[in-house]
C-alpha cells in the first residue's frame, strides 16, 4: 500500500527540538491541519465539529535515518534503559508513523486553504505530513483502568523554570505561559546532564537559550 499526505501540520516549532514528547501534555499549544488542494472540500470534514478530539496519523519526517534496531531508549526512562521498539512510542520505527490525539479548537471552512482544522495539544513540528484523520470516540478509545507499562512507574517530571526580566518585553504573557509549560518538560536529550551547557530552541520568531541545573531550568537569553 502506498500512502501520501492528505495535509500538512502548521506549528510554532520549525524543528523537533522542544516539541512536547506526547500529545496533550501542553494543552494550549496550538497548531493547524492544512489540507492539500485535492482534499480542500468542506464535505470531507462534515460532522467533525461534533467531536472534541481527533486522531492524527502522521509521518516522522525529520528522521533522516532508517530504523534498524529492535531496541530503543525511551526518554521517560532517562535515555539509558532499553525496551522493544513496539513497547515504546519512539519515532525510530520500521514504518515512521506517528499517532496523536489532539483537541479540536475550531474548524475554519472558508478561505483559500479551507477547511483548516485548528487544534490544541499537538506534538508535531511545522511541515509534518498528515496521512489520515479519524474522530476520537470515548467508548472505543478510552480505557480508564488500562495499564501503561513503564509509564505507570515513571511519571512525567516537570522542572521549575526561571525567566530573566528581559523576556517580559520580548513575549506576551500568553506566549510566556506557553513557553513555561514547554520548558517545564525539559527539552534536552535525556542523556545530557551538563549544568553549564547552553541549549537553544526556536520559539515564536526568536530563539530561547537555557541551561538546566538539577530540577531548575534557567532561561539565559
Amino acid at each position: 500500500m502506498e500512502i501520501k499526505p492528505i495535509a500538512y501540520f502548521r506549528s510554532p516549532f520549525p524543528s523537533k527540538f522542544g516539541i512536547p514528547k506526547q500529545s496533550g501534555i501542553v494543552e494550549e499549544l496550538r497548531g493547524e491541519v492544512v489540507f492539500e488542494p485535492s482534499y480542500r472540500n468542506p464535505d470531507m470534514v462534515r460532522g467533525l465539529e461534533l467531536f472534541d478530539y481527533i486522531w492524527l496519523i502522521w509521518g516522522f519526517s525529520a528522521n533522516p535515518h532508517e530504523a534498524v534496531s529492535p531496541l530503543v531508549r525511551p526518554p521517560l526512562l532517562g535515555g539509558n534503559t532499553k525496551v522493544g521498539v513496539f513497547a515504546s512510542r519512539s519515532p525510530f520505527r520500521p514504518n515512521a508513523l506517528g499517532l496523536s490525539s489532539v483537541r479540536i479548537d475550531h474548524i475554519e471552512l472558508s478561505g483559500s486553504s479551507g477547511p483548516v482544522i485548528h487544534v490544541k495539544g499537538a506534538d508535531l513540528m511545522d511541515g509534518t505530513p498528515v496521512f489520515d484523520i479519524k474522530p476520537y470516540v470515548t467508548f472505543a478509545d478510552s480505557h480508564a483502568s488500562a495499564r501503561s507499562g513503564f509509564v505507570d512507574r515513571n511519571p512525567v517530571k516537570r522542572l521549575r523554570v526561571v525567566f530573566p526580566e528581559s523576556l517580559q518585553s520580548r513575549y506576551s504573557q500568553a506566549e510566556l505561559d506557553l513557553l513555561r509549560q514547554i520548558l517545564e518538560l525539559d527539552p534536552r536529550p535525556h542523556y545530557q546532564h551538563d549544568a553549564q551547557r547552553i541549549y537553544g530552541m526556536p520559539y515564536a520568531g526568536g530563539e530561547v537559550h537555557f541551561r538546566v541545573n538539577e530540577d531548575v531550568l534557567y532561561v539565559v537569553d
Side-chain angles (χ1 to χ4, degrees):
M1 179 178 67
E2 182 178 352
I3 60 175
K4 61 181 180 179
I6 62 166
Y8 286 87
F9 197 79
R10 298 304 170 207
S11 162
F13 289 95
S15 71
K16 61 183 180 180
F17 188 85
I19 297 176
K21 293 179 173 61
Q22 299 293 335
S23 59
I25 56 177
V26 179
E27 294 182 358
E28 294 302 312
L29 182 55
R30 295 177 178 269
E32 301 172 1
V33 178
V34 181
F35 287 96
E36 287 288 86
S38 299
Y39 301 97
R40 291 178 185 174
N41 183 340
D43 283 343
M44 301 196 79
V45 296
R46 184 188 299 179
L48 196 59
E49 73 280 358
L50 302 177
F51 294 87
D52 284 334
Y53 288 85
I54 53 176
W55 291 106
L56 299 179
I57 300 170
W58 50 278
F60 288 104
S61 55
N63 292 351
H65 307 297
E66 182 179 355
V68 295
S69 175
L71 297 172
V72 295
R73 305 170 188 263
L76 202 58
L77 295 179
N80 294 314
T81 303
K82 296 180 180 180
V83 302
V85 64
F86 297 133
S88 80
R89 296 192 175 191
S90 168
F92 300 100
R93 323 184 64 79
N95 293 306
L97 294 175
L99 177 68
S100 297
S101 174
V102 298
R103 185 177 183 89
I104 298 174
D105 184 66
H106 67 281
I107 301 174
E108 180 185 354
L109 294 177
S110 60
S112 59
S113 299
V116 175
I117 306 174
H118 296 257
V119 302
K120 292 182 177 180
D123 55 345
L124 286 70
M125 78 174 199
D126 191 58
T128 295
V130 177
F131 297 113
D132 203 1
I133 297 167
K134 299 179 186 293
Y136 176 101
V137 291
T138 55
F139 87 93
D141 297 341
S142 178
H143 307 281
S145 59
R147 296 180 300 155
S148 298
F150 61 82
V151 179
D152 290 336
R153 303 186 302 274
N154 297 273
V156 174
K157 297 179 180 179
R158 297 181 185 269
L159 302 175
R160 182 168 68 90
V161 178
V162 177
F163 286 133
E165 290 186 8
S166 59
L167 221 62
Q168 306 292 331
S169 59
R170 175 64 178 83
Y171 294 115
S172 68
Q173 189 58 52
E175 289 174 328
L176 284 175
D177 290 342
L178 183 58
L179 178 59
R180 182 185 301 278
Q181 293 177 57
I182 293 167
L183 294 176
E184 283 177 346
L185 297 170
D186 193 354
R188 299 175 302 165
H190 279 247
Y191 54 82
Q192 294 183 0
H193 302 283
D194 183 353
Q196 301 306 314
R197 180 165 181 169
I198 304 297
Y199 300 85
M201 185 184 80
Y203 178 75
E207 181 148 336
V208 176
H209 295 145
F210 64 89
R211 64 180 181 87
V212 178
N213 187 7
E214 297 184 349
D215 294 329
V216 183
L217 183 149
Y218 299 90
V219 177
V220 295
D221 63 61

